[in-house]
Amino acid sequence: MSDSQTTRRRFLLAALAFSTVAVTGSTWLRGAAAWASSTDGTTLARFGRLLFPHDGLSDEVYADVMNNVLMALASNPDTENLLAAAEHALDAQQDTAWIERDESEQIAAIEKIPREACFAAILGTLRGALYYSPALWSHINYPGSSKEHGGYKFRGFDDIDWLPENS
Amino acid sequence: MAKKYDLDDSSVVVVIGSGAGGGTVANELAQKGIDVVCLEAGSRLTLADVVNDPPAMDAKMGWHDKRIGATLLICKTVGGTTMRWSGVTPRIQDHEFRSLSTYGQLDNGTTFIDWPLTLTELEPYYDKAELKMGVSGTQGIQPSAETNNYKVLKAGATRVGYKEISSARMAINPVARDGRPGCQQISFCHSGCAIGAKWSTLYTEVPAAEASGHFELRANAMAVRINHDKEGRVNGVVYKDENGAMQEQKARAICVAGNVVETARILLNSESSMFPQGLANSSGQVGRNYMRHTFGLAFAVMPKPVNYHRGARQTGLLLDEQINNPQRGFVGGYQLQPAAADPWFTSHLIGGWGRDHTVFTDNYTRLAGIFITGEDPPEAGNQISLHATERDAQGLPVPDDEYKNHSNTNAMRNHAIKASRRIYESLGATDFWGGDASMGCHNMGVARMSENPDDGVTNRWGQAHDIKNLFVSDGSLFSSSAAGNPTLTIVALAIRQADHIAERMSQKEL
């Protein structure tokens, strides 16, 4: 594993711990554990995009981020099958594969995923993976670490210029 | 020079914790020539260890031992939560010290008491605390520089008629002072200040105490139990040392400052045949009346860029609503404070998913934000207790943190969210989110000061009602929460307590 992958994984695990998600004893999860994901990542990427839709981000970014989520969840026996189980749950709701349905139906299907055991852990981990990803930071113009640039004391911490006068 | 004391040296005061309360009381005692051993569960970082990487810093300095309950942002590191805090340092107001007299008892089981001390009595110590910490806009120190996020709040607040807003009361140097530099607006205050402009005991109280020649810091020393003698006076602290071996440091007196959760745990975990309910707990009040403040957040998408990630995470406060006016539908008051967060923490605080969520995160550079902190009524059922069976990696009973919002707290939060919305919409905000993030960063109560020993755990000096050489030195002492951030009051009380301990020692009472 490369250094950047190690760093990213540490980020995700920290974010997961911070979210204090507990995933144990879900019969729903145990039932789905044997079901193996057979997708090429398209479904997962779409799932990630609908959870946190940033229109300016490419499908490749979502695929990459969801791959990191998969990796982070796989490192814990309590969570390793969560994404596969979620995909299974999305597909199982109708005859049509989830990825083939229109957006409103896809969102409705996501809303039916069991909240407690599954969804909180996936959402918390995705939140960490996406909102610490360089691609997302670049998209929203967030530059990250600032101490090596001397902070923002001379780089616009007080540069707002559109507020009304005499307020 | 830093000293070394023998484990069986029973002349030392043992301080458990090196944060705002523990670090301060330890240094104040050491400056008076009293020998102190400070036990800190975490390790000792240097400024070079501080990076602008929140998860990495959380791994280095966060408290990760198992605990049941919501996320509490407490720290296990030398400096404690002064490494993570925002630096906002308001004083408690006069009427807030007289909480029962001002508010009366509310429905649904509040347990208000008046503080056993007054603002007038604490004022000289507030002065000392502000000088020690370098609080901006006080003691001849200039106010903090106005960040973009502050300017948005000030402009909106002014438009809707608020008056009392300033960029003062931050324990972050606006300019170099006391051997520490001025703020460079780095923006990662919650992950440790990389230059030491923000006050933290790691690089103020702890080295000052070491220089006194009357102080030894033991890092990676997790206190697990307090022992006592046949007369019921405490006489030693059992701790796990850096090699995992159990040690006992003998003590003349003991100050406990474990940021509320750990303070309650060690007192309750030190039960004995003489004190079957735990130490200092004949009243049954240890762990009870746990308060977190009315906690809330507001975010708005403004019409043009704010870039709230630039600059100190928090700067300044709005005090107009910190009054008691029950006609608003609740007792007590609250403060609105401009507050920013990195993209992940912004997303975490807002919670949820879908377009309702990303309308905020996708417009990150246009966000403005407010932290709401307000009076939180004490309730007996809001408490830190020891779980009956669950044990952590240290083999200690896991703290079980039960906390629910009182209806007064919910009414206050709703009022504060509406006020925040009005402020931002007056400037043309296009989207607004306000809510409770179901977490805590201000911990108070659980060993509160009380005039009547039946109502609390400690007296007006933070000295246990039951055991005269046992002191509590952190936010556990708060008789009520008041509205504002607790650290300045923790430090003022710790300075005052050190005076009291020194006086009692000189009178041979300790």
Side-chain angles (χ1 to χ4, degrees):
Chain A
M1 194 180 283
S2 73
D3 280 358
S4 68
Q5 281 176 316
T6 310
T7 308
R8 200 175 292 174
R9 185 164 173 172
R10 180 169 49 70
F11 274 21
L12 297 183
L13 294 175
L16 182 61
F18 192 91
S19 305
T20 60
V21 286
V23 188
T24 48
S26 162
T27 51
W28 174 80
L29 178 58
R30 279 200 298 276
W35 185 85
S37 173
S38 58
T39 69
D40 54 6
T42 313
T43 299
L44 277 186
R46 178 73 182 158
F47 184 41
R49 180 184 289 284
L50 289 182
L51 289 177
F52 294 113
H54 291 277
D55 295 340
L57 283 186
S58 67
D59 290 342
E60 287 72 24
V61 169
Y62 281 103
D64 184 42
V65 164
M66 290 307 283
N67 191 43
N68 286 326
V69 173
L70 199 59
M71 211 168 65
L73 294 175
S75 67
N76 180 339
D78 288 337
T79 58
E80 62 179 324
N81 296 309
L82 277 180
L83 273 178
E87 282 187 75
H88 180 56
L90 292 171
D91 274 340
Q93 291 173 19
Q94 286 185 26
D95 293 338
T96 321
W98 178 79
I99 193 70
E100 308 291 331
R101 297 175 219 156
D102 67 30
E103 180 164 322
S104 61
E105 284 183 346
Q106 287 178 331
I107 292 172
I110 292 172
E111 285 168 348
K112 288 181 191 150
I113 295 178
R115 299 285 105 177
E116 289 165 19
C118 169
F119 197 63
I122 293 174
L123 200 61
T125 310
L126 172 56
R127 201 186 296 286
L130 180 63
Y131 288 108
Y132 279 118
S133 75
L136 185 281
W137 284 6
S138 167
H139 167 64
I140 63 172
N141 290 315
Y142 175 70
S145 178
S146 87
K147 74 166 185 170
E148 63 274 34
H149 308 295
Y152 292 97
K153 186 173 179 182
F154 304 108
R155 296 192 308 135
F157 83 98
D158 63 349
D159 67 352
I160 195 162
D161 61 1
W162 56 266
L163 291 168
E165 293 297 321
N166 64 34
S167 61
Chain B
M1 292 303 295
K3 290 263 291 187
K4 290 275 179 199
Y5 297 96
D6 289 339
L7 288 171
D8 58 2
D9 184 342
S10 60
S11 73
V12 300
V13 175
V14 175
V15 175
I16 300 170
S18 65
T24 300
V25 77
N27 182 34
E28 290 287 318
L29 291 170
Q31 297 302 328
K32 296 172 194 295
I34 295 166
D35 292 318
V36 175
V37 171
C38 181
L39 303 175
E40 165 54 53
S43 59
R44 186 173 191 163
L45 303 178
T46 67
L47 289 184
D49 295 315
V50 176
V51 289
N52 291 170
D53 178 342
M57 290 310 296
D58 183 60
K60 287 183 193 179
M61 67 185 201
W63 193 290
H64 301 297
D65 290 353
K66 190 170 183 187
R67 190 181 47 74
I68 297 164
T71 300
L72 304 177
L73 299 172
I74 70 181
C75 290
K76 182 189 272 193
T77 189
V78 175
T81 309
T82 64
M83 288 297 284
R84 180 173 260 161
W85 75 312
S86 300
V88 187
T89 37
R91 292 185 179 195
I92 293 180
Q93 296 185 355
D94 181 53
H95 75 270
E96 294 174 327
F97 282 99
R98 294 178 287 103
S99 44
L100 176 60
S101 304
T102 308
Y103 311 136
Q105 226 54 276
L106 308 180
D107 292 342
N108 310 323
T110 62
T111 50
F112 277 116
I113 55 170
D114 289 345
W115 287 56
L117 72 164
T118 62
L119 174 60
T120 308
E121 213 175 334
L122 200 57
E123 269 170 348
Y125 293 97
Y126 271 141
D127 287 339
K128 289 180 185 185
E130 286 160 1
L131 278 168
K132 177 191 285 291
M133 303 164 87
V135 176
S136 67
T138 74
Q139 312 298 333
I141 301 166
Q142 67 190 71
S144 300
E146 300 186 2
T147 61
N148 289 337
N149 195 34
Y150 172 81
K151 289 180 180 184
V152 173
L153 177 54
K154 183 181 175 190
T158 304
R159 276 213 164 168
V160 303
Y162 287 124
K163 307 272 187 237
E164 290 189 56
I165 178 162
S166 78
S167 65
R169 297 216 155 270
M170 301 298 303
I172 300 176
N173 280 346
V175 292
R177 178 185 180 275
D178 200 23
R180 294 184 290 116
C183 179
Q184 288 181 4
Q185 309 293 346
I186 289 173
S187 102
F188 289 82
C189 309
H190 295 172
S191 298
C193 179
I195 58 171
K198 180 183 80 175
W199 184 80
S200 168
T201 52
L202 172 67
Y203 38 78
T204 58
E205 304 306 295
V206 168
E210 286 175 331
S212 76
H214 294 282
F215 175 87
E216 179 187 348
L217 174 77
R218 290 187 203 147
N220 302 303
M222 169 86 184
V224 299
R225 182 181 173 84
I226 296 170
N227 286 333
H228 62 80
D229 62 18
K230 289 197 293 279
E231 283 72 47
R233 289 166 55 98
V234 292
N235 63 0
V237 179
V238 178
Y239 66 96
K240 194 182 235 183
D241 72 13
E242 56 195 340
N243 301 314
M246 298 303 256
Q247 308 287 356
E248 181 181 1
Q249 173 64 52
K250 291 294 180 187
R252 175 180 184 175
I254 295 168
C255 297
V256 188
N259 200 340
V260 175
V261 178
E262 294 303 318
T263 295
R265 174 156 77 158
I266 197 166
L267 293 176
L268 294 170
N269 195 44
S270 300
E271 88 291 346
S272 66
S273 54
M274 186 181 272
F275 300 116
Q277 299 191 89
L279 285 185
N281 197 24
S282 66
S283 63
Q285 294 294 307
V286 171
R288 294 194 179 273
N289 309 302
Y290 169 56
M291 300 167 283
R292 279 188 201 158
H293 276 143
T294 295
F295 182 105
L297 291 146
F299 293 94
V301 180
M302 304 309 294
K304 291 181 181 175
V306 177
N307 288 309
Y308 79 174
H309 63 279
R310 298 180 188 164
R313 279 294 154 89
Q314 288 200 234
T315 298
L317 24 71
L318 187 158
L319 300 176
D320 295 72
E321 300 283 3
Q322 194 184 359
I323 53 172
N324 183 44
N325 173 11
Q327 290 187 335
R328 291 179 297 179
F330 53 89
V331 304
Y334 63 84
Q335 300 182 357
L336 300 179
Q337 305 176 350
D342 70 22
W344 173 76
F345 201 42
T346 301
S347 172
H348 179 78
L349 291 169
I350 291 173
W353 58 280
R355 291 205 179 265
D356 292 346
H357 180 88
T358 52
V359 67
F360 297 98
T361 51
D362 202 56
N363 290 303
Y364 183 78
T365 54
R366 284 163 54 200
L367 291 182
I370 286 174
F371 172 60
I372 297 159
T373 178
E375 184 88 62
D376 176 17
E379 294 179 75
N382 282 348
Q383 62 175 324
I384 312 281
S385 57
L386 301 183
H387 195 274
T389 52
E390 289 232 37
R391 296 293 178 266
D392 67 12
Q394 324 269 355
L396 290 172
V398 169
D400 188 349
D401 155 16
E402 283 173 65
Y403 176 88
K404 58 182 191 321
N405 287 302
H406 192 273
S407 53
N408 193 78
T409 303
N410 291 329
M412 179 186 288
R413 183 184 302 107
N414 289 339
H415 191 274
I417 288 169
K418 279 184 195 149
S420 302
R421 180 173 207 136
R422 215 164 53 239
I423 287 169
Y424 286 143
E425 289 185 344
S426 80
L427 299 172
T430 53
D431 295 276
F432 177 87
W433 181 93
D436 172 13
S438 300
M439 59 188 293
C441 50
H442 299 168
N443 300 303
M444 295 156 293
V446 313
R448 69 181 183 178
M449 298 188 288
S450 64
E451 198 66 55
N452 181 343
D454 294 338
D455 292 337
V457 176
T458 51
N459 67 13
R460 57 205 311 281
W461 306 103
Q463 184 173 23
H465 287 301
D466 296 349
I467 303 171
K468 72 175 182 181
N469 67 337
L470 176 62
F471 294 81
V472 173
S473 316
D474 64 1
S476 309
L477 296 173
F478 282 40
S479 307
S480 63
S481 77
N485 318 52
T487 303
L488 179 75
T489 303
I490 293 171
V491 172
L493 290 172
I495 299 170
R496 178 172 170 274
Q497 182 178 75
D499 282 359
H500 177 75
I501 292 172
E503 173 64 18
R504 298 277 74 76
M505 282 183 168
S506 71
Q507 301 297 319
K508 311 282 185 219
E509 292 172 30
L510 283 177

